[in-house]
Amino acid sequence: MRLSEISSKEIVDYQKGERLGVLGQTDLLINEETGEITAFMIPTSRWFQFGKKEQVVTVYWQQIKKIGEDMIIIDVGSVTT
């Protein structure tokens, strides 16, 4: 599968049903030797008392449950090394 085929898909957390973002708006960790995507680094923002705070959720390839037509279902809670 090519990156261009999945870049417009929404990323959704399996357990919370929460939309985390669109793959095309994330950073990727790529294995330099194989060229394979290792993880997505998804920027998330939350509003706190004194303003907006940026956080990054790292989703490893092993945490992907399903890649569908419109979205990528992930399990953020699963632990991988």
Side-chain angles (χ1 to χ4, degrees):
M1 182 174 289
R2 298 193 179 276
L3 181 59
S4 62
E5 296 171 346
I6 61 173
S7 65
S8 64
K9 297 183 187 295
E10 290 188 48
I11 301 170
V12 177
D13 182 2
Y14 165 77
Q15 291 183 354
K16 295 180 182 176
E18 179 181 19
R19 179 185 182 271
L20 297 175
V22 176
L23 182 64
Q25 299 170 346
T26 65
D27 290 328
L28 302 175
L29 289 176
I30 298 176
N31 183 327
E32 293 177 11
E33 295 175 9
T34 63
E36 294 177 341
I37 298 172
T38 305
F40 308 129
M41 298 181 71
I42 307 166
T44 60
S45 31
R46 304 266 194 255
W47 284 97
F48 291 98
Q49 187 175 12
F50 299 109
K52 204 163 137 178
K53 183 175 182 182
E54 289 287 327
Q55 293 181 324
V56 174
V57 175
T58 302
V59 178
Y60 294 93
W61 191 258
Q62 296 85 356
Q63 293 174 299
I64 296 175
K65 295 296 182 190
K66 177 86 174 174
I67 298 177
E69 273 187 48
D70 298 325
M71 63 183 69
I72 299 172
I73 307 294
I74 62 168
D75 186 1
V76 174
S78 66
V79 177
T80 60
T81 56

